[in-house]
């Protein structure tokens, strides 16, 4: 198994030799084998366990198991507690989706620029392909789970669950089992527990066959993706008459996703019709697609803006093309900072409610520290090209904007001689040297 995982890492260029990597450790067989494998292969592993508090004592059991395992291995270990139930009540997301969002936010918070390794395996990938087929999908859906996505890597993606269990058994390594995975009360579990066993009766070599087919799916998807990207250069998109229908659909899906609209066949078909006939359609509130002579552009006060993201006090957050790092400074002493440094510091106790990073709102105002007057954020960004203004991160609390990239913090939350705890904001491009 070690050689198989090593081959997968090399094939998809996941890690450099000896690189530091975060392992998302649930305590289950897959994540335990991932931790052991990466450690054996010589990577500098550290582990983060996210306790979702959804299974009572079982959740605490998993946390304690992970803690003890890492202690026995001499692996650096962190625990993050998240309130999935409260988050889902606030956002309206399902429990599964809410848990996923909070889990990846927690992992990103602890990554410190390191890659995040998750334990998705070949069985998971096949389940996802079937699930996508049931819902309806294109070529991309047939590829299942991507081996690499941004800073997330999946070294076990070419390894079957049977191989994983055999590996753990050979090591005499125990693991925990999530009891909810044994209940066929959701679509994915129905596929895992009921559908796949029947398919294996038809073809005992099912996963081996799928793995071979997967390479063809990936090659086709990569080709279509490259051709679609060629159509998306610049702010106005031109689609030639002889453009392949599948490549056109892929390009339009990318445009929708870029503007915060979940691609769906009806939405893509609507845009395909727009390309052919011309006209204007509303993609979502504040975002419109306009096409004339097969030239499509996206316009509106929210065009091309990444979706707002709620933040906790500290950690690293990816928003659009930037990473925002929040660092807490305790026992803060204002006398050790100059005026320039204070522009990037906020008094934690002066913040109101939840922090959010988002694009600017057309009419909002901010009184920047040291300016002595109030200005609209739109006026501050007047020197920025119109198509890029919505990519400038604005940090706000429940009372409004508290930080604008390139300009600093609001006077309302700026540090004073009475500040005891400060938050430092640093913004860097997503793919700088710390993210490679």
């Amino acid at each position: 198994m070690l050689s198989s995982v090593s081959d997968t890492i090399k094939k998809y260029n996941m890690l450099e030799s000896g690189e530091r990597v975060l392992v998302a450790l649930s305590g289950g067989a897959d994540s335990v084998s991932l931790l052991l494998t990466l450690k054996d292969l010589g990577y500098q592993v550290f582990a983060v366990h996210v306790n979702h508090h959804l299974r009572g004592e079982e959740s605490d059991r998993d946390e304690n198991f992970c803690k003890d395992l890492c202690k026995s291995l001499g692996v650096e270990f962190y625990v993050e507690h998240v309130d999935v139930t409260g988050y889902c009540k606030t956002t309206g997301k399902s429990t599964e989706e809410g848990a996923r969002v909070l889990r990846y936010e927690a992992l990103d918070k602890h990554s410190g620029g390191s890659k995040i390794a998750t334990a998705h395996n070949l069985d998971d990938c096949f389940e996802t392909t079937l699930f996508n087929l049931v819902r309806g999908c294109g070529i991309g859906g047939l590829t299942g789970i991507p081996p690499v996505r941004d800073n997330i890597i999946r070294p076990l993606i070419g390894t079957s669950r049977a191989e994983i269990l055999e590996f753990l058994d050979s090591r005499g390594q125990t693991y925990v089992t999530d009891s909810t995975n044994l209940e066929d009360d959701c679509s994915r579990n129905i596929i895992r527990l009921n559908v796949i066993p029947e398919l294996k009766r038809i073809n005992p070599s099912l996963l081996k066959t799928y793995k071979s087919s997967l390479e063809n799916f990936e090659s086709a998807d990569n080709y279509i993706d490259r051709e679609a990207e060629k159509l998306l250069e610049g702010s106005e998109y031109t689609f030639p008459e002889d453009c392949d229908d599948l490549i056109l659909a892929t390009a339009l899906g990318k445009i929708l996703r870029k503007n915060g609209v979940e691609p769906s066949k009806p939405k893509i078909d609507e845009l395909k019709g727009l390309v052919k006939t011309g006209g204007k359609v509303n993609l979502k509130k504040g975002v419109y697609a306009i096409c004339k002579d097969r030239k499509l552009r996206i316009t509106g006060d929210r065009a091309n803006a990444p979706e707002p993201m709620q933040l906790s006090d500290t950690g690293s957050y990816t928003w659009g093309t930037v990473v925002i790092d929040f660092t807490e400074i305790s026992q803060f002493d204002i006398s050790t900072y100059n005026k320039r440094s204070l522009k990037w510091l906020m008094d934690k106790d002066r913040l109101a409610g939840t922090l959010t990073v988002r694009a600017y709102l057309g009419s909002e105002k901010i009184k920047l520290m040291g300016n002595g007057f109030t200005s609209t954020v739109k006026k501050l960004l007047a020197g920025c090209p119109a198509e890029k203004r919505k990519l400038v991160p604005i940090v706000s609390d429940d009372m409004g904007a508290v930080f604008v990239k390139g300009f600093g913090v609001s006077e309302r939350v700026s540090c004073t001689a009475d500040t005891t705890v400060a938050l430092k904001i640093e913004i860097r491009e997503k793919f700088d040297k710390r993210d490679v």
Side-chain angles (χ1 to χ4, degrees):
M1 181 172 148
L2 289 178
S3 60
S4 174
V5 173
S6 179
D7 289 344
T8 298
I9 291 173
K10 291 175 183 176
K11 178 180 179 180
Y12 297 104
N13 193 28
M14 293 180 176
L15 294 166
E16 297 294 332
S17 178
E19 185 175 344
R20 180 173 168 83
V21 56
L22 183 160
V23 174
L25 184 64
S26 69
D30 300 339
S31 67
V32 170
S33 66
L34 176 64
L35 180 68
L36 295 175
T37 301
L38 292 180
K39 188 174 186 297
D40 285 354
L41 290 173
Y43 296 102
Q44 299 178 50
V45 296
F46 66 106
V48 173
H49 174 79
V50 182
N51 189 332
H52 301 91
H53 293 284
L54 292 173
R55 292 178 286 117
E57 292 182 0
E58 192 174 282
S59 291
D60 296 331
R61 176 210 65 182
D62 294 355
E63 177 184 325
N64 291 329
F65 173 85
C66 292
K67 180 180 178 181
D68 292 340
L69 174 64
C70 288
K71 184 177 180 180
S72 69
L73 296 172
V75 170
E76 188 179 343
F77 176 69
Y78 301 93
V79 176
E80 189 75 14
H81 295 264
V82 295
D83 179 11
V84 176
T85 303
Y87 176 76
C88 292
K89 285 182 180 179
T90 302
T91 62
K93 294 182 182 293
S94 67
T95 299
E96 183 179 11
E97 174 64 12
R100 188 190 68 81
V101 170
L102 291 179
R103 179 166 61 253
Y104 278 105
E105 285 184 1
L107 294 171
D108 198 45
K109 173 182 175 181
H110 285 276
S111 68
S114 297
K115 302 284 180 59
I116 299 171
T118 65
H120 296 94
N121 59 44
L122 186 61
D123 292 62
D124 296 321
C125 194
F126 182 54
E127 290 166 12
T128 300
T129 294
L130 290 180
F131 186 63
N132 289 340
L133 277 172
V134 171
R135 294 190 306 173
C137 68
I139 293 292
L142 296 179
T143 63
I145 302 172
V148 177
R149 178 174 61 80
D150 297 331
N151 68 328
I152 298 169
I153 61 172
R154 300 180 170 104
L156 300 183
I157 203 66
T159 305
S160 70
R161 187 166 288 123
E163 291 174 303
I164 288 170
L165 294 176
E166 183 180 347
F167 170 75
L168 293 175
D169 185 58
S170 70
R171 300 278 292 257
Q173 177 60 59
T174 59
Y175 52 89
V176 295
T177 300
D178 182 344
S179 61
T180 61
N181 289 335
L182 305 177
E183 302 169 359
D184 60 352
D185 58 352
C186 67
S187 299
R188 189 170 291 277
N189 280 5
I190 291 172
I191 290 172
R192 176 184 300 140
L193 300 175
N194 301 326
V195 177
I196 291 180
E198 293 301 312
L199 293 177
K200 286 183 176 179
R201 286 180 59 192
I202 299 172
N203 179 10
S205 300
L206 178 66
L207 288 179
K208 183 178 180 180
T209 303
Y210 169 68
K211 189 174 182 179
S212 177
S213 299
L214 191 58
E215 293 182 358
N216 295 328
F217 298 155
E218 288 176 343
S219 295
D221 187 49
N222 289 337
Y223 170 77
I224 294 168
D225 190 75
R226 286 195 303 270
E227 293 302 306
E229 283 292 341
K230 294 177 182 178
L231 300 173
L232 302 181
E233 298 174 354
S235 58
E236 186 175 74
Y237 314 116
T238 301
F239 302 105
E241 290 280 354
D242 61 350
C243 181
D244 181 87
D245 196 61
L246 186 54
I247 293 172
L248 173 61
T250 301
L252 295 175
K254 288 174 175 287
I255 292 171
L256 288 169
R257 188 174 286 109
K258 183 179 179 182
N259 287 278
V261 180
E262 183 63 27
S264 63
K265 190 175 188 304
K267 278 289 184 184
I268 291 174
D269 286 346
E270 184 178 32
L271 284 184
K272 284 166 68 176
L274 187 70
V275 169
K276 294 175 182 178
T277 63
K280 177 179 180 180
V281 298
N282 178 230
L283 298 181
K284 68 173 185 177
K285 183 178 180 181
V287 181
Y288 300 87
I290 301 175
C291 191
K292 183 179 180 181
D293 299 327
R294 299 185 71 88
K295 293 182 178 180
L296 180 74
R297 60 189 176 90
I298 307 300
T299 186
D301 62 355
R302 296 183 182 276
N304 301 315
E307 289 295 291
M309 177 187 295
Q310 289 190 347
L311 313 172
S312 59
D313 290 340
T314 59
S316 297
Y317 301 88
T318 300
W319 185 82
T321 61
V322 300
V323 175
I324 304 176
D325 297 316
F326 280 87
T327 307
E328 184 174 296
I329 303 173
S330 57
Q331 298 180 336
F332 178 78
D333 181 359
I334 195 170
S335 66
T336 62
Y337 295 86
N338 57 37
K339 288 184 178 181
R340 181 177 178 81
S341 298
L342 290 173
K343 289 178 65 176
W344 319 111
L345 298 172
M346 298 187 296
D347 186 326
K348 183 178 178 181
D349 293 330
R350 299 179 74 182
L351 293 168
T354 304
L355 286 178
T356 300
V357 59
R358 55 169 171 76
Y360 82 97
L361 306 177
S363 59
E364 69 179 327
K365 297 180 179 180
I366 187 171
K367 185 177 182 180
L368 292 170
M369 188 199 81
N371 272 15
F373 61 89
T374 300
S375 174
T376 63
V377 175
K378 186 175 183 179
K379 186 174 181 179
L380 292 177
L381 301 178
C384 181
E387 67 273 12
K388 293 184 178 181
R389 289 175 196 162
K390 290 298 179 179
L391 303 178
V392 176
I394 310 296
V395 178
S396 65
D397 63 6
D398 291 351
M399 293 177 63
V402 295
F403 173 84
V404 181
K405 180 190 176 186
F407 296 91
V409 302
S410 163
E411 183 178 281
R412 174 169 63 83
V413 299
S414 62
C415 294
T416 68
D418 296 326
T419 300
T420 57
V421 180
L423 288 178
K424 181 181 180 181
I425 304 177
E426 294 179 286
I427 296 182
R428 53 191 168 92
E429 290 302 311
K430 184 176 180 179
F431 296 111
D432 73 4
K433 62 183 180 182
R434 280 182 283 179
D435 293 312
V436 176

